Amino acid sequence: MRSTTALATLAIATGLPLAAAAAPAHAETTTEREKGVLVECAGTWRTRPVTVSVYEHRTYGNEVLVAIGAEDQEDFWTSQPDGRLVRRGELQQEGTLGGRKVVLAGTVVRDGDPVEVQDEFDDAGQHVVVDGVHKPLAADLVLTWRKRNAVLDCSNAFRFDLTVTKTDIE
């Protein structure tokens, strides 16, 4: 980081405004295509709240998260499986939660017209521009744990296909 005095001197010497002198001389820009699936669900197992998140990201990897219970007494299962999580409209993931087998299974199919996505924001010293589409999905999933089912409401589910451009701003 340059000092204010050094920036002022640089601005005077170059004839540039102070803000332009503060920008890095060679701001790095990267552009990536990001594709995947996001399914977020909520429900109840017996009387306990359930939260499920299925995140399939072809560039940065996958994550399945299941939480059963309130914050003070919550059981978690998390997994980072390789490969596609949704295949031919089916999702099937198994793991261990509280020492017992947990199964997340059901269908995930196209549902509706694509939604254009355009966003710009600053994050962690970078200016981020996102362009692409979200394709709505209908997810009908059931969580089975301790031989009991939790039917899930998965109203936030979509496939994404995005172009993400990041430019250093520091």
Side-chain angles (χ1 to χ4, degrees):
M1 184 76 176
R2 298 178 180 152
S3 72
T4 306
T5 306
L7 287 175
T9 304
L10 182 60
I12 292 168
T14 60
L16 295 172
L18 185 60
H26 302 288
E28 185 176 329
T29 297
T30 60
T31 300
E32 292 183 315
R33 182 130 181 235
E34 298 187 16
K35 296 177 90 173
V37 174
L38 176 65
V39 179
E40 295 178 321
C41 310
T44 304
W45 181 84
R46 299 181 88 180
T47 60
R48 297 171 69 184
V50 174
T51 302
V52 173
S53 176
V54 176
Y55 184 59
E56 175 185 305
H57 197 291
R58 294 187 195 163
T59 303
Y60 295 112
N62 305 326
E63 182 174 72
V64 177
L65 171 69
V66 173
I68 299 177
E71 288 181 27
D72 58 339
Q73 279 192 325
E74 202 164 34
D75 289 302
F76 283 100
W77 167 57
T78 185
S79 174
Q80 287 82 34
D82 292 330
R84 302 284 293 268
L85 302 180
V86 178
R87 293 183 177 272
R88 294 182 203 95
E90 300 286 328
L91 183 139
Q92 173 88 23
Q93 293 292 307
E94 297 181 9
T96 303
L97 177 68
R100 300 271 181 89
K101 182 178 178 179
V102 62
V103 178
L104 177 64
T107 60
V108 180
V109 296
R110 293 180 193 179
D111 183 41
D113 296 326
V115 177
E116 293 290 324
V117 175
Q118 296 178 330
D119 197 9
E120 274 190 63
F121 55 91
D122 292 337
D123 181 44
Q126 294 182 313
H127 182 71
V128 181
V129 178
V130 179
D131 287 306
V133 294
H134 285 175
K135 299 173 184 173
L137 299 171
D140 184 14
L141 302 178
V142 175
L143 179 76
T144 304
W145 184 51
R146 295 183 175 184
K147 300 181 183 179
R148 303 236 179 168
N149 291 343
V151 177
L152 302 170
D153 173 13
C154 304
S155 56
N156 186 21
F158 56 89
R159 183 172 301 279
F160 57 90
D161 185 352
L162 307 171
T163 300
V164 179
T165 302
K166 299 176 182 177
T167 304
D168 293 338
I169 55 176
E170 290 186 28

